[in-house]
Amino acid sequence: MDEGRTFRVAAAQFAVGRDRKANLAACTRMIDTAAERGAILLVLPEFCNHLSWYDDRQEALDAACRPGDDFLGPVAERAARHGIYVKIHVTLADGREGSRRITAASLLYGPDGALLGSADKQVLMGSENDHLDPATEAGPVLDTALGPVGLYSCMEGVVNEVCRGLALRGAHLLLNSLNSFALDEASLHIPVRAAENRVWVIAANKVGPLLPADRIGEISAGMGVPPEALDGAGESQIVAPDGTVVARAPRHGEAVVTADIRPSAAADKRRADGTDVFAVRRPELYGPIAAAPAPAPAFAGERAAEVRAAVIRPDGQGPEAVRHAAALVREAAGQGACLIVLPELFWHPGGIRPEPAPRPGPQALSPGLPDSEAVRRTLQEALSGTPALLACTLPLSSGHAGVLLGADGPVLVQHQLHDSARNRAWALGGRAEALLTHDTPWGRLAVVVGDDAIHPETFRLAVLQGVDTVAVCHTGVEPWERGLGLPERAAENRMNLVVAGHGAGAFHALPVEFGLWRSREAPFDGTISTPATSEAGPGLSLAAIRPREAGKRLVSRGTDLVDSRPWRLAGALVAPHGAAAPSAH
């Protein structure tokens, strides 16, 4: 691959039905169109050969493709005719005599028509579990003229592990095929995978009915979803490594979108502050993510259906900010807030502490740091006589820590887990050995410190410990962190986030209704996994969070957002930095 070279890439959206010949014609028409527009690579949607709906396994087996058959053969021929890469997704039969194994497979054909590689879907969605089989190995990272490429599809992008693994193994472009009527794919789950991994994502969704026309009324009634909401959601898109959507198709209608991209940009994993976001990961802490699902530690009592939380963004800096924060803490507690969250190092501009590094010593709240003890004492006094808990971060002699304060003092001290360039001189990020939790009368809480918030693994570790609410004290350096990253952490883990930042804050509360199963009182809103977000402005903001809703994690029948993660195939996430070598072909 030539450094700095640009390539034109494309994503196509169209309808797929039960007519195999019509489906093939649509695929070849899209390939022709993309080639005419100068694209060197085209991504097609998920399940191009047949609707993702079968009455039994035999029907699924009969409809499945075989390598080089009358469906895939013409696709390969068309790729060779135009000299372009084509990523297609189909159901694929094993092909061995007597085998009834069927997978949901992504296949990449090269400009000569040769099959460069394939990847079976690791996380199946809902009814796909009835007749399809999940992957038994992680898909490859493939060498192409554009650079290293990874393949994934639909539900694999609603959780973070598949894309994370591909990016850690060196992929610069991730090609996503979708079969989705969920509106939050385009608005959240697709672009966040680009931004958090600093890679390009090219995503192709469907339009038109995703279910058999003669069954759609019955199915929609059973699901409580309007028939028109079961059409493919379109909005196929091409996303840059910073999360910017550089090309997007319309919500409805057949379309091919193109963009000129520079794939080599994805080799740079540095954040705007200079932090290499892959180099500072802590794989030695992430073992539970790649381990078999296990029950979280028991919570004594019952989680509350709803409690009040507060975000405080005080005015000024230094002593003025501390005094204003304390006054707002008293006000928040007086209005019944159970949890109050302040921005990272809220009295320092931009959350950056300019003082030289203190000498490391025993864990303490103040030695060598003239203002941290005064800040802690002032905030604690503001909580006097109330049951409220307050999350903030303080510069300790042992490094940067999130402190959860009650009226009687600290109940949890969480040191920063990951190194970061912003406060590297003193924060000692990367020394902490665990993510800690605290049980309250209303739920289980964790505190995320500063730039730990940009790592999806931080929040996965929290949910695996049974956390239902996270207090995030951060600053935020890049727009995606607030607009995509934190909402996705709430969505993919089914947890409430109370976020306080220097430039903005938010409540990402768990909605009572989510996934495909809605009550008649809350009709389907077009999303499958999105938090109920409300912004927190300057000063004091209050909103409700719902700890009990964290127990609902089935996004569809048989698909749990946490326990259905592909833990068996997540080895790249726990490999030491640089050791997750690409399986390039």
Side-chain angles (χ1 to χ4, degrees):
M1 181 185 70
D2 295 337
E3 280 294 319
R5 183 180 173 188
T6 61
F7 298 86
R8 181 161 296 173
V9 297
Q13 64 185 38
F14 53 92
V16 168
R18 284 176 152 173
D19 185 326
R20 187 180 180 91
K21 290 183 178 179
N23 296 338
L24 174 60
C27 291
T28 56
R29 185 172 67 252
M30 294 298 104
I31 297 171
D32 292 344
T33 300
E36 289 167 3
R37 296 182 184 177
I40 190 174
L41 179 147
L42 170 66
V43 179
L44 299 173
E46 190 179 36
F47 301 122
C48 285
N49 59 312
H50 194 275
L51 286 176
S52 181
W53 186 271
Y54 305 98
D55 291 330
D56 53 39
R57 194 173 187 90
Q58 187 58 51
E59 183 187 5
L61 192 61
D62 292 342
C65 293
R66 278 78 175 164
D69 67 4
D70 62 351
F71 194 92
L72 294 177
V75 170
E77 184 278 328
R78 214 52 154 244
R81 180 187 303 181
H82 294 296
I84 69 172
Y85 294 90
V86 176
K87 192 258 191 170
I88 190 170
H89 187 283
V90 297
T91 54
L92 193 66
D94 184 299
R96 292 177 295 184
E97 186 175 353
S99 174
R100 295 179 65 81
R101 178 174 169 79
I102 314 167
T103 60
S106 294
L107 302 97
L108 182 65
Y109 290 97
D112 61 355
L115 178 62
L116 300 181
S118 63
D120 291 335
K121 192 174 183 179
Q122 299 178 36
V123 186
L124 298 176
M125 176 70 160
S127 63
E128 295 169 14
N129 290 282
D130 295 339
H131 307 303
L132 304 180
D133 299 293
T136 57
E137 60 183 12
V141 174
L142 303 168
D143 283 337
T144 73
L146 292 83
V149 169
L151 315 177
Y152 76 106
S153 64
C154 210
M155 183 62 209
E156 291 181 305
V158 181
V159 296
N160 71 76
E161 284 84 1
V162 175
C163 293
R164 192 67 154 181
L166 289 167
L168 288 168
R169 288 160 52 213
H172 290 174
L173 293 88
L174 301 183
L175 313 183
N176 181 13
S177 299
L178 297 101
N179 175 75
S180 180
F181 49 73
L183 302 179
D184 48 342
E185 288 279 16
S187 63
L188 180 59
H189 307 303
I190 294 171
V192 74
R193 303 306 168 209
E196 69 194 14
N197 295 301
R198 308 189 87 82
V199 297
W200 293 92
V201 169
I202 307 168
N205 199 3
K206 284 181 181 169
V207 292
L210 300 184
L211 299 169
D214 60 344
R215 301 281 304 278
I216 197 164
E218 167 197 347
I219 296 167
S220 66
M223 296 174 65
V225 177
E228 62 274 12
L230 296 176
D231 282 1
E235 295 192 274
S236 301
Q237 58 191 252
I238 299 165
V239 191
D242 64 357
T244 301
V245 177
V246 298
R248 188 197 305 263
R251 169 76 175 79
H252 303 282
E254 190 173 283
V256 174
V257 293
T258 64
D260 295 331
I261 71 169
R262 186 168 60 87
S264 62
D268 186 354
K269 303 301 180 185
R270 289 174 299 174
R271 194 170 175 232
D273 66 352
T275 303
D276 184 320
V277 297
F278 275 16
V280 301
R281 293 176 67 256
R282 301 284 307 280
E284 72 276 14
L285 301 184
Y286 306 153
I289 299 172
F299 179 76
E302 184 177 359
R303 298 176 202 262
E306 187 172 288
V307 296
R308 210 169 200 195
V311 168
I312 290 175
R313 294 172 51 208
D315 296 332
Q317 60 190 58
E320 177 190 356
V322 175
R323 287 192 296 271
H324 189 214
L328 294 177
V329 167
R330 283 189 288 271
E331 183 180 347
Q335 294 191 44
C338 293
L339 173 64
I340 305 166
V341 184
L342 282 161
E344 172 190 22
L345 301 175
F346 69 91
W347 67 104
H348 287 296
I352 298 175
R353 180 179 182 270
E355 292 96 336
R359 186 177 66 181
Q363 179 173 298
L365 286 175
S366 62
L369 303 172
D371 59 348
S372 62
E373 175 64 15
V375 171
R376 194 272 304 165
R377 187 170 55 248
T378 300
L379 295 175
Q380 186 175 322
E381 288 172 355
L383 294 168
S384 180
T386 78
L389 294 173
L390 181 144
C392 63
T393 77
L394 295 174
L396 311 186
S397 63
S398 51
H400 189 198
V403 179
L404 190 63
L405 285 170
D408 297 325
V411 298
L412 180 146
V413 177
Q414 172 67 63
H415 282 81
Q416 184 175 315
L417 294 171
H418 301 88
D419 189 17
S420 172
R422 291 189 309 114
N423 286 308
R424 181 168 287 158
W426 65 273
L428 305 179
R431 300 288 181 88
E433 294 303 323
L435 181 76
L436 307 177
T437 69
H438 175 73
D439 283 5
T440 73
W442 45 266
R444 181 167 293 161
L445 182 63
V447 177
V448 168
V449 181
D451 294 333
D452 287 343
I454 68 172
H455 299 280
E457 295 89 348
T458 304
F459 297 84
R460 212 47 148 181
L461 291 174
V463 76
L464 292 175
Q465 295 184 67
V467 167
D468 54 68
T469 302
V470 178
V472 182
C473 308
H474 83 131
T475 297
V477 171
E478 298 176 334
W480 76 268
E481 298 169 19
R482 178 173 67 92
L484 296 171
L486 292 171
E488 182 66 14
R489 302 294 85 85
E492 70 187 2
N493 295 295
R494 285 294 289 170
M495 56 173 51
N496 300 278
L497 266 60
V498 183
V499 180
H502 281 264
F507 303 89
H508 301 297
L510 291 178
V512 175
E513 309 281 352
F514 100 110
L516 302 185
W517 315 112
R518 310 292 175 105
S519 71
R520 301 298 178 185
E521 291 73 35
F524 183 64
D525 63 0
T527 67
I528 54 169
S529 181
T530 298
T533 295
S534 55
E535 299 297 323
L540 171 63
S541 300
L542 293 152
I545 57 173
R546 303 178 184 88
R548 191 178 300 168
E549 296 304 316
K552 300 177 182 176
R553 303 194 311 212
L554 282 176
V555 69
S556 185
R557 178 171 54 83
T559 306
D560 184 297
L561 283 170
V562 179
D563 288 348
S564 295
R565 72 188 185 281
W567 58 272
R568 293 180 181 87
L569 306 180
L573 276 69
V574 296
H577 178 59
S583 52
H585 289 197

